[in-house]
Amino acid sequence: MNPVRHLIFVLGDQLTLTLSSLEGADPDRDLILMCEVMEEATYVPHHKLKIALIFSAMRHFAEELRGKGFKVHYTKLDDPQNSGSFSGELLRATAAALPERIVATEASEWRVLQSMQGWQSSLTQPVEIRVDTRFICSKAEFRDWADNRRSLTMEYFYRDMRRKTGLLMQGEEPEGGRWNFDADNRKPAKPDLFRPKHGVVRPDSITLEVLDLVERVFAGNMGSTKNFVFAVTRADAESAARAFIRDFLPNFGETQDAMLKDEPFLNHAMLSFYINIGLLDPLAVCQAAERAYLQGHAPLNGVEGFIRQIIGWREYIRGIYWLKMPGYQHSNVFAAHRPLAGFFWDGDTAMACLSTAITQTITHAYAHHIHRLMVIGNFSMLAGLDPHAVHEWYLSVYADAFEWVELPNVVGMSQFADGGFMASKPYAASGAYIDRMSDYCQDCRYDVSKKTGEDACPLNALYWDFLDRNAEHLSKNHRLAQIYASWHRMDDGKKRSYRDSAARFLQKLDAGEYV
Ligand SMILES: Cc1cc2nc3c(=O)[nH]c(=O)nc-3n(C[C@H](O)[C@H](O)[C@H](O)COP(=O)(O)OP(=O)(O)OC[C@H]3O[C@@H](n4cnc5c(N)ncnc54)[C@H](O)[C@@H]3O)c2cc1C
Ligand code: SF4
């Protein structure tokens, strides 16, 4: 074999042919290293479907690279020689191949990038870590944007990204005369037998081998590999994106915030997994959505909403992560320390909204945005759960969860644990919101119309108790002025009964009783 020029280390969420570390790669002289390691598979107890998705997509990507003539050194998790860590595998492959240089694209998570930056100290060959070019806004560009701003409102960042990409722009003006059509969205939805169904990909022999491995090694983790339906190749992910644009994008906007107990996916894209591991290019997906609008296939409100989620929220979240790490993971402005209730792991609660959202999470390693934000996240914040424990749960259970995107969404957006660095007010809601946006309350053991007492929806008392308990941090927030004014107008008896109801519920939660 020829001497190896570059040993190119490709991580599990870097499954992109145009990855910066593969730029200029030469099949005749370079060797690609990919590895499944215990350290990554166990640093939180990942959902079985998440581990299976990543390992299977990695194995398929290795085949794609081999198909292009590259040599790939691939370590499977159960390889007896597997050292169990990225650094260990790099040292092993370097000792065997004696490359002139190590090349990698920067890791997407702070913890892994730290370890990558330490590689040079144990190697004599130069280690070249390249910037990840798969984002529309670089880390440096986001830092410049954030510098000297009093508040980092996503909406303004998003407008810059619209200008930068030219998506839905008419010269300098936004298509349709408005930047944001959210006011036309946020409608409840009705069950509809004729709503199209999201596609299912049948596991091939590579995936079946991974599913068997995951069931053996991670038997105690959440979920079942029987429910594996993910795309694991670029071709299948692209076909899922086309199906979304054809079948769901036309109604995406209207039902974006709606929840139905028998329709966990509604018109959501189900594409985050593929975008996050590199099987889909976020900009290309947005351009395809824009084409659907220009061809009259999908309305502006939905297409704008979808594009905003990707070039706005997704990029903004990443910018915040790199701006605020490593301290951000310990944010806890409300000093909330309650551990997660047992029902987070089995969905066994009388609260129909939480039971549905968590059970769907267990089944699919997926829940749509409003389940994550307004059901599970809202309850966690109102009940004073420890935001770090909440973060670790989200990181474990969703197939699309990588810390750079999960952590700011959980700690900043859903728990307000950063004291409002990201969100201008907490996403806090009582039962009325869930009743308006879903069909959950009609089947719930609790009564959403009752404010206090044993049968009342627990969120009603928890909502006021949360605001009361955290008034020191929230009462000066002008976006909450009206809500605090309502609280202050209540007589003492009413306030006491909210506090008592919340305290009784939290006592039961702490005692591990069925709630
Ligand atoms: C508490 C909480 C935790 C979350 N954790 C994750 C996570 O671990 N990984 C993850 O990818 N997303 C996360 N999100 C964002 C969002 O909920 C998911 O991206 C979305 O539900 C994925 O499903 P979908 O592809 O059907 O998305 P759709 O609702 O159809 O949206 C389309 C695309 O927009 C992007 N997107 C939408 N909202 C966001 C957002 N807030 N941040 C980043 N990208 C966004 C995704 O790429 C998504 O595929 C979280 C949101 C909250 C509130
Ligand atoms: S009544 Fe309350 S707890 Fe029950 S589903 Fe409705 S919002 Fe959830």
Side-chain angles (χ1 to χ4, degrees), residues 2 22 29 40 71 96-97 126 198 229 244 293 319 358 361 513:
N2 294 333
L22 293 171
R29 292 187 295 161
E40 292 307 305
K71 288 180 279 300
H198 285 270
V229 292
F244 163 69
Y293 163 69
I358 294 173
T361 300
E513 287 177 35

Side-chain angles (χ1 to χ4, degrees), residues 328 331 406-420 422-423 425 427:
Y328 204 57
S331 310
E406 171 276 331
L407 182 75
N409 267 307
V410 172
V411 163
M413 192 189 298
S414 92
Q415 300 303 291
F416 205 76
D418 62 0
M422 224 180 96
K425 75 177 177 76
Y427 284 93

Side-chain angles (χ1 to χ4, degrees), residues 198 244 252 256 265 267-273 275-276 305-306 308-310 313-315 317 366-370 372-374 377 394-395 398-407 409-411 413-415:
H198 285 270
F244 163 69
F252 174 81
Q256 213 178 330
F265 317 122
N267 292 305
H268 287 271
M270 309 280 295
L271 295 179
S272 48
F273 339 100
I275 298 176
N276 291 352
F306 177 72
R308 174 158 28 89
Q309 304 311 311
I310 296 185
W313 279 111
R314 185 170 184 273
E315 296 283 331
I317 289 281
Y366 175 86
H368 74 61
H369 189 69
I370 299 303
R372 299 191 205 195
L373 184 64
M374 299 309 294
Y394 275 91
L395 187 57
Y398 292 112
D400 58 18
F402 295 86
E403 193 183 81
W404 68 266
V405 56
E406 171 276 331
L407 182 75
N409 267 307
V410 172
V411 163
M413 192 189 298
S414 92
Q415 300 303 291

Side-chain angles (χ1 to χ4, degrees), residues 76-142:
K76 292 183 177 173
L77 190 80
D78 52 0
D79 182 335
Q81 312 289 317
N82 192 329
S83 65
S85 70
F86 286 150
S87 304
E89 283 311 281
L90 177 68
L91 291 181
R92 216 159 64 83
T94 306
L98 299 175
E100 290 165 22
R101 173 182 283 265
I102 317 296
V103 178
T105 291
E106 60 184 344
S108 64
E109 298 191 352
W110 190 85
R111 176 184 56 84
V112 184
L113 184 58
Q114 289 297 297
S115 144
M116 230 179 205
Q117 285 165 346
W119 287 349
Q120 187 63 82
S121 61
S122 33
L123 290 165
T124 48
Q125 293 90 339
V127 176
E128 181 185 339
I129 299 175
R130 298 183 181 169
V131 166
D132 191 343
T133 51
R134 297 175 299 167
F135 291 87
I136 293 155
C137 181
S138 71
K139 292 178 192 171
E141 195 181 345
F142 189 86

Side-chain angles (χ1 to χ4, degrees), residues 215-426:
E215 276 303 347
R216 264 189 296 116
V217 181
F218 304 99
N221 289 27
M222 182 184 276
S224 163
T225 52
K226 291 197 181 76
N227 300 324
F228 193 91
V229 292
F230 293 121
V232 287
T233 62
R234 192 170 323 286
D236 283 344
E238 283 168 356
S239 142
R242 280 195 298 277
F244 163 69
I245 288 171
R246 185 186 64 228
D247 298 337
F248 301 98
L249 184 62
N251 299 308
F252 174 81
E254 283 204 349
T255 55
Q256 213 178 330
D257 287 9
M259 297 174 279
L260 292 176
K261 60 179 184 297
D262 295 326
E263 296 198 48
F265 317 122
L266 269 168
N267 292 305
H268 287 271
M270 309 280 295
L271 295 179
S272 48
F273 339 100
Y274 312 136
I275 298 176
N276 291 352
I277 61 177
L279 292 184
L280 290 178
D281 172 32
L283 185 58
V285 175
C286 291
Q287 286 163 337
E290 183 190 42
R291 274 197 301 280
Y293 163 69
L294 294 173
Q295 291 163 1
H297 173 64
L300 184 54
N301 64 314
V303 174
E304 185 282 312
F306 177 72
I307 287 177
R308 174 158 28 89
Q309 304 311 311
I310 296 185
I311 69 166
W313 279 111
R314 185 170 184 273
E315 296 283 331
Y316 173 82
I317 289 281
R318 177 181 186 250
I320 296 282
Y321 177 78
W322 286 104
L323 201 63
K324 299 295 280 181
M325 280 300 278
Y328 204 57
Q329 58 189 317
H330 302 298
S331 310
N332 191 355
V333 73
F334 300 134
H337 294 297
R338 183 161 277 115
L340 297 201
F343 64 71
F344 273 74
W345 301 103
D346 56 18
D348 191 16
T349 164
M351 291 177 280
C353 51
L354 277 151
S355 164
T356 310
I358 294 173
T359 305
Q360 288 174 357
T361 300
I362 295 168
T363 309
H364 305 291
Y366 175 86
H368 74 61
H369 189 69
I370 299 303
H371 290 136
R372 299 191 205 195
L373 184 64
M374 299 309 294
V375 177
I376 305 171
N378 179 46
F379 173 81
S380 304
M381 180 175 67
L382 298 188
L385 305 191
D386 179 344
H388 196 263
V390 177
H391 142 62
E392 290 200 327
W393 184 83
Y394 275 91
L395 187 57
S396 308
V397 303
Y398 292 112
D400 58 18
F402 295 86
E403 193 183 81
W404 68 266
V405 56
E406 171 276 331
L407 182 75
N409 267 307
V410 172
V411 163
M413 192 189 298
S414 92
Q415 300 303 291
F416 205 76
D418 62 0
F421 182 78
M422 224 180 96
S424 56
K425 75 177 177 76

